Amino acid sequence: MLRLVTAVLIMLLAPVVLGESHWSNWSDKTLCRLSEDPELIEYRKAAKDRGLSCSADKHTSPGTAVAKTNIEDLLINNFRCLQGRHYMGNIINGTDNYISYVQVKSFDYDGVLIGSCKTFVGLSPGSFDSFLAVNCNCLKSNRYQIKAQ
């Protein structure tokens, strides 16, 4: 009887014990790609446990990201990728400077530039407006860089 109980416990605990090592040999890129699927929570957790930032700019609830720019106090709230091609959000100019243009660069998981776009914003100091940058290629983007002038 003790052998039977031991065998059942081993069979029940095996997936739990081996489960963590299931993706331990997988590359960061593969784990990040799989973590994009909102139904695969375990991959997102594994990527987070590994210290990866692959989901940093892809929130589960759209429109919650606050994107920082190269200029302090110039932010884009609700920053998100639209239809894999455009970036949109609400730009807030908390500076004392006039902002003419904003350039967004998109990078993939390997850090390779996959898209770039520049848009006129014409934003006065202390003001805000909606933000839309078209033809940026943000579909497979893992990270972005925003420069304003």
Side-chain angles (χ1 to χ4, degrees), residues 35-99:
S35 72
E36 287 179 359
D37 188 334
E39 294 181 13
L40 300 176
I41 297 168
E42 65 274 8
Y43 294 112
R44 202 171 317 119
K45 183 184 178 313
K48 183 179 178 185
D49 290 347
R50 203 184 272 191
L52 300 176
S53 62
C54 50
S55 299
D57 301 323
K58 299 186 184 307
H59 297 273
T60 53
S61 53
T64 59
V66 176
K68 295 181 180 179
T69 68
N70 63 319
I71 299 175
E72 190 174 338
D73 295 329
L74 179 67
L75 304 171
I76 304 176
N77 281 334
N78 302 326
F79 188 73
R80 60 200 177 275
C81 177
L82 178 68
Q83 298 175 344
R85 297 182 308 211
H86 317 298
Y87 281 113
M88 65 180 302
N90 300 307
I91 190 165
I92 302 168
N93 185 3
T95 72
D96 294 329
N97 301 318
Y98 180 82
I99 306 297

Side-chain angles (χ1 to χ4, degrees), residues 91-110:
I91 190 165
I92 302 168
N93 185 3
T95 72
D96 294 329
N97 301 318
Y98 180 82
I99 306 297
S100 300
Y101 291 94
V102 173
Q103 180 183 34
V104 183
K105 292 182 179 180
S106 302
F107 299 90
D108 70 4
Y109 294 105
D110 296 323

